[in-house]
Amino acid sequence: MTKTNPGRFFEDYAIGQVIRHAVPRTLAEGERALYHALYPARHALYSSDEFAISCGLDGSPMDDLLAFHTVFGKTVPDVSLNAVANLGYAEGRWLLPVWPGDTLRAESEVIGLKQNSNGKSGVVWVRTRGLNQQDEVVLEYVRWVMVRRREEGGDAPEPVLPTLSGTVAPQDIVVPEGLNFDAYNTDLAGETHRLGDYTVGELIDHVDGVTIEEAEHMLATRLWQNTAKVHFDATNRDDGRRLIYGGHVISMARALSFNGLANAQMIVALNAGAHANPCFAGDTVRAWSEVLDKAPTAVPGVGAIRLRLVATKGRVDGFALKDAAGRYLPEILLDLDYWALMPE
């Protein structure tokens, strides 16, 4: 009798199935330091207790994407261990800050299934929730993944395609309790640009680039306890290359966006996202953003800015995203649509 776990295949999912993921994770200050060592992350609210206290919080919470990666990593052995690709995200919301000392766990519900026509794989949609030690939901999101079949050409389940919102409505954005920007210090934050200084349709080149290193990617992926085979096992892909975890690209691009968006302090919603092309060690990641929308929140002085964050590889001139047929250009790595909180 085998005791090892080969991971779930497409045939192992059913609509309504709830998967409670193993190995809760307690986050400590060391993880914040390591996150900031892996990425050029400099947003002040996540860097300084004193800055966060001046903004009405009890101290500096853990980085929003650090919390996301921790929850995401919990889901990998059950959702994407046998994935061909992670295809997209929707309806993501950060509902509570995560503090040093919090213990996070995750659970996912299967909300969609569709077998691919080749009979070799299918797409699985799951809604994942991250919970803390008080069983409070700290974040939630939908993602969909292409997963291999255990046996090719088997019976296909009746397709179920979930209906997903194109964007999180501004009124559904959750502002952390106590947060206010009445005493916001733009000198310490790094830029003077507030919400009113940005216009819808504005494009921002974040200027800097970072070359992805194999060692840093491996360290980051292990930190999140992400066990997807394509990230670790070079024999798992026909080209013999380890695929860079998409979250590594997200965090790198978000950190690069500080140059031009230093006051977009907290990611609070994830509207959509696509990993457009694979990233490998040696690729140099750059980023640009487009302002898609602006909105007030329920807290006076705290505004929300909706941004498209695009990560590219190599040297790219301009802000091109797709070709005439609507396909992502080969140099596009990431297309992420999110809301962030910013002083008005």
Side-chain angles (χ1 to χ4, degrees):
M1 178 179 177
T2 181
K3 292 182 173 62
T4 56
N5 175 22
R8 284 176 167 85
F9 293 86
F10 181 74
E11 301 96 307
D12 299 322
Y13 298 96
I15 297 297
Q17 178 183 12
V18 176
I19 304 168
R20 293 178 174 86
H21 306 291
V23 193
R25 179 72 176 270
T26 301
L27 299 179
E29 285 287 0
E31 262 131 327
R32 184 204 308 276
L34 187 51
Y35 183 87
H36 287 210
L38 289 165
Y39 310 105
R42 292 185 288 158
H43 287 87
L45 205 66
Y46 295 116
S47 298
S48 165
D49 282 336
E50 294 305 313
F51 189 92
I53 290 168
S54 76
C55 293
L57 301 180
D58 293 335
S60 180
M62 305 299 275
D63 289 69
D64 36 44
L65 289 176
L66 193 160
F68 175 81
H69 295 324
T70 301
V71 170
F72 185 100
K74 300 293 96 191
T75 73
V76 169
D78 297 309
V79 175
S80 49
L81 192 66
N82 294 304
V84 179
N86 188 43
L87 299 177
Y89 309 94
E91 297 185 357
R93 292 195 303 157
W94 281 254
L95 302 173
L96 287 172
V98 174
W99 305 99
D102 278 354
T103 297
L104 300 185
R105 63 180 180 86
E107 58 185 36
S108 299
E109 179 183 359
V110 179
I111 61 171
L113 290 171
K114 183 179 183 297
Q115 182 164 302
N116 292 328
S117 59
N118 62 13
K120 297 180 180 180
S121 60
V123 180
V124 181
W125 285 260
V126 296
R127 186 180 302 277
T128 294
R129 304 192 306 161
L131 301 98
N132 63 19
Q133 64 275 17
Q134 278 88 40
D135 287 336
E136 300 167 318
V137 180
V138 299
L139 65 90
E140 62 184 9
Y141 61 90
V142 172
R143 73 163 168 141
W144 49 104
V145 186
M146 187 185 301
V147 180
R148 293 180 176 87
R149 283 189 58 97
R150 181 182 289 103
E151 298 179 2
E152 293 183 16
D155 293 338
E158 189 69 25
V160 175
L161 304 182
T163 301
L164 301 173
S165 302
T167 180
V168 174
Q171 62 267 26
D172 293 331
I173 289 172
V174 176
V175 177
E177 184 177 357
L179 182 73
N180 71 79
F181 290 144
D182 296 344
Y184 193 88
N185 188 321
T186 55
D187 290 336
L188 296 181
E191 289 177 353
T192 60
H193 317 305
R194 293 172 179 258
L195 188 65
D197 298 316
Y198 294 88
T199 59
V200 174
E202 181 177 355
L203 297 167
I204 304 164
D205 181 354
H206 299 301
V207 180
D208 307 304
V210 175
T211 301
I212 299 291
E213 302 289 349
E214 192 81 83
E216 290 174 358
H217 161 245
M218 287 291 93
L219 185 62
T221 311
R222 292 187 182 105
L223 177 64
W224 320 129
Q225 296 177 324
N226 184 330
T227 57
K229 299 172 184 177
V230 291
H231 303 320
F232 289 98
D233 184 351
T235 68
N236 199 255
R237 288 175 53 90
D238 292 338
D239 59 9
R241 307 174 75 184
R242 292 187 290 195
L243 185 68
I244 301 298
Y245 164 47
H248 194 64
V249 177
I250 292 174
S251 280
M252 192 64 74
R254 161 69 172 165
L256 291 172
S257 76
F258 178 89
N259 190 350
L261 287 166
N263 293 317
Q265 287 289 350
M266 306 185 81
I267 295 178
V268 287
L270 179 59
N271 301 305
H275 297 290
N277 286 289
C279 181
F280 299 101
D283 287 343
T284 296
V285 175
R286 290 180 169 81
W288 56 267
S289 292
E290 179 184 3
V291 180
L292 298 177
D293 200 359
K294 301 190 298 181
T297 71
V299 178
V302 177
I305 185 168
R306 183 182 171 193
L307 298 161
R308 160 175 269 160
L309 175 62
V310 177
T312 66
K313 59 181 175 180
R315 291 203 170 274
V316 180
D317 295 324
F319 300 96
L321 188 66
K322 297 181 179 180
D323 62 19
R327 295 182 296 261
Y328 283 107
L329 298 172
E331 62 268 22
I332 302 299
L333 295 172
L334 172 73
D335 182 8
L336 195 73
D337 178 342
Y338 69 98
W339 286 101
L341 299 182
M342 177 179 279
E344 290 185 325

